[in-house]
Amino acid sequence: MSEYDARGKDNRALLICVSDYLHLPELPAVKDNAEQLERVLTAPGTDLFTGDEVVICRPKEPWELERALDAVTREARGLLLVHFSGHGRVGPDGGDLQLMVGGSAAKGGHKTVSWQDLVLSYLGNARADRIVIVLECCYAGNAGEAFHSSRTPMSLLMAAQPNRRIFSGEEPAGGTLFTRAAVQILERGIPGKAFVTFEDLVRALRDRLAGEETPMGDVWEPRSAKQNTVDDVILSFATPEVRPRTPLRIRLRRWWKVRILRWRRVLMVFLTALVLLTGGVVALNAVSTPPACPPALELRLLTAPEAEPTLRSAAFSYEMSDLNTRPLQGERDLPDGCRRAQITVYSAAKDQVGAGFAAADRWQGEAHGANAGARDAKGADPLHRPGPQPDLWIPESTADYEEARRVLPDGSPATLHNTGPVAYSPLVVGIPADKRLDDVERVGASWKDLLTGTDSAHRDLELLRPSPVLSGTGLLHTIGLYLAGDGSRIGPAGTPDRSLAQDAESRLSAPGSQYAGSTELLCSLRPYEEGTDGTDGTDGKDARSAGGAEGAKGRAGTAGSGDRSAPLVSEKSLVDYNLGHPVGTCPALDTALAPKDRYAAYYPKNVPALDHPLVRVDWSGADDATPRQAATDRFAGWLRDPGAGQHILVGQGYRGVPDKDGEVPRPEPGSPLLNTRSDADPAAPVIRYTAGGDQVSRVLDRYDKAQKSSRLLILFDTSTSMADGGRLPVAVGAADRTLEMVGAHHTYGLWTFPDPAHPTDPAAVHRAVPLGSADPAPGKAALDRIAKGGLVAHGAAMEEALTAAVRELKDSAGANKAVVLIVDQDDGAPRRAAGVEQTLNKLLKGTPEVPVLTLVMGKAGCDTLAFQGLADASGGQCVPTGPTAPDLLAGLVASVGTAGKEDR
């Protein structure tokens, strides 16, 4: 896992410690929290904050906390750390956590601070690279749901699990139990670690508090969650080991901040006194402070979700490199040590990027404030997804670039310049370690041989591929299947044979077998028994154990020994999976997977590798086009430099770019590919991309024609509890993303429940869009109405509504049907009629099959018998809420129309 190192940046720490209350019990130990935290955060061993970067706030009124938040979110550019210790309160339903300030009362919310509406609002607009929040209050664990509605890279540490009070704050003095433990960890470090990261701190705190109990008698267990980032954040460089020397540039910057600024203040006092004594103003005007760093030029780098963690790490290293912090020849306006460029890295699925370039005029117009929030006929809103207009784009392969060029309209304000690859990763088929293929070479076997070796007469494996619609890896695997099936080298021209495409698609498992990328597909296959620390907020289980993995097992077999899954992924993602690195939303494991649980990499012959081209995006009319182009070229050169960016990319498991002789270099020492537990073959060749642009569109056309028509019924829970904790925007966004998968051959309906017209009938549903519609516009209009408050104030009878939906689909014509259930939680049980569960279960197990793809917004996620049983009975899957849930659900929906072998 990559670590974010904020040394040398403009960091801020806001320590909000409320100990004195007018109407609530006082918390004497909280009084000392601020001083203890300030001491350890500014200690020489931690190296992240200087004294003037730590702000202590003891608010008596909400506006005092708001003012402090406003200041630090405006000033921080590197790491922003926000710590709150004090009283916390939630409503009867456990939602809308309120942070209590000195004037707060037990009842009445006018003097409390809303975590969801105020704190997250400020943090969501911060310009810091990373934000870390620590909440030490009762019910801190209830902050996790609203947290997932933000788009800013954040890490959240909650002092305890949801719906728990804590004893922290009533100790005599010296800091609270929780904060004392955190201070000791940050001050002393962790044995065997060169620094303390956010996830290290979470694990260590759990160990420290394992013997403690909450007031309810439960084990005191801190929880954590991460949003829009999968890398880790370094919080302290303290270590009990021999500490590596701090880099010179970091020491110089700390010396500058701590000493020069201190002497500057002394000098200012002296000169002011001199002015007063002499009565002159000349000396005052002559006082000059050291040159301040001007704002860095921001470059926005758009990439694929799988590449985002590595490129974030590379971008940060570039920002702190000599190339970006030393004046260039002829450059006089940039003081030495100041960053010339700041690179913001963000990601989006392939189809969203394509939609952005197809609507580039709106993309640019919205960025300038014109037509903000407007949608076209297809519902495209580029500024919302994929995000800000990019200066750089690094897709997974040249095939993605060719597809984007094809959709760029004439007269587009965006121009794409492909500057060439920055890293490679061969495509592989993961074969279970205990089911290696007989008489099939691991390197250089044709797809024809691989298909034969995995068919029902041989190993009988289920081939699982990321969606070609959403994933560059899925698209390139499809190009390989269609154009290099017999092992032939792909030329720049030619059209894939239709029968060959249909035959290839018939071998891929469907429906519900595709994902939005390699990492989420592999995350869904991670075995249950492997240890995770629960830092993703899933009650100690793997991020997919309760959801995607359970669904995948229903169709692809269980992971581990006896596994029948064969994922079509990239070499890098498979190596990360085998070595226990983070994959998708699954966090890192302590060790590599056991040999029986790993996949061996098989390399299909002449299938092109992912080549990750760096594409410069020029926008017409830009006032700063020339400096942006120069900054882009410098970053591109640095990425390809073997002693700079290439070292980082190769160290993360990528293959390097060709050297002067045109040969792709072998992995360097330290590369994960050389680890014997990776089950990769570092000697496997890297096949360059040679297909023509027209072939990409032909392959996608053949893929589309190979699909069967499908019918979706979106069943949306509109009970008022859906609005709690920031759930509604996420749920509406997921449904909106599902509608983007609707095509000419894929029809849908949108039903909501409960039905406001029949409040006493638990089986009644509101048919907002009739089943069979091919136009997404009515569905998007209905979702807009829901988002604006179209909710029903009584319990949602999930099983009754689902029974009606499944029965309607089973009675309708055609095959390839699915229900997409988006639900808060099943809260209709108190008024459920006897026999409803049995009726639904029998209906689900009958023919024709109607899988239920469920997105659960409730606190328990998919980790309940009801939702696990629903996935098992229907052959569907369950997706827990989170930042990747909309794309994960979209990937599953995209595969409903695929023609898997069980449909032949």
Side-chain angles (χ1 to χ4, degrees), residues 151 348 352 356 381-387 733 736-737 740 780 887:
R151 292 176 59 89
Q352 293 175 331
D381 182 4
L383 198 57
H384 174 60
R385 284 198 307 260
D736 190 85
R737 188 78 173 102
E740 293 175 8
K780 290 179 180 292
D887 280 341

Side-chain angles (χ1 to χ4, degrees), residues 55 127 382 403 461 482 528 533 876 887:
V55 178
R127 296 180 62 186
E403 189 181 359
L461 299 179
Y482 290 9
Y528 276 109
D533 55 24
D887 280 341

Side-chain angles (χ1 to χ4, degrees), residues 581-604:
H581 296 167
V583 285
T585 49
C586 287
L589 303 177
D590 293 333
T591 61
L593 290 175
K596 67 181 179 63
D597 293 327
R598 300 200 290 258
Y599 290 104
Y602 280 68
Y603 298 78

Side-chain angles (χ1 to χ4, degrees), residues 793-861:
H794 61 80
M798 179 197 79
E799 295 196 348
E800 287 86 346
L802 187 56
T803 299
V806 173
R807 182 172 286 124
E808 177 100 359
L809 277 178
K810 284 183 178 286
D811 292 342
S812 64
N816 287 300
K817 311 166 189 176
V819 174
V820 178
L821 173 63
I822 300 176
V823 63
D824 166 28
Q825 57 192 7
D826 183 10
D827 53 3
R831 57 197 184 114
R832 175 162 296 139
V836 171
E837 295 179 3
Q838 292 81 354
T839 300
L840 175 60
N841 194 56
K842 182 178 179 180
L843 189 63
L844 288 171
K845 292 184 177 180
T847 57
E849 182 181 77
V850 176
V852 179
L853 307 176
T854 307
L855 172 62
V856 184
M857 308 299 298
K859 296 183 181 67

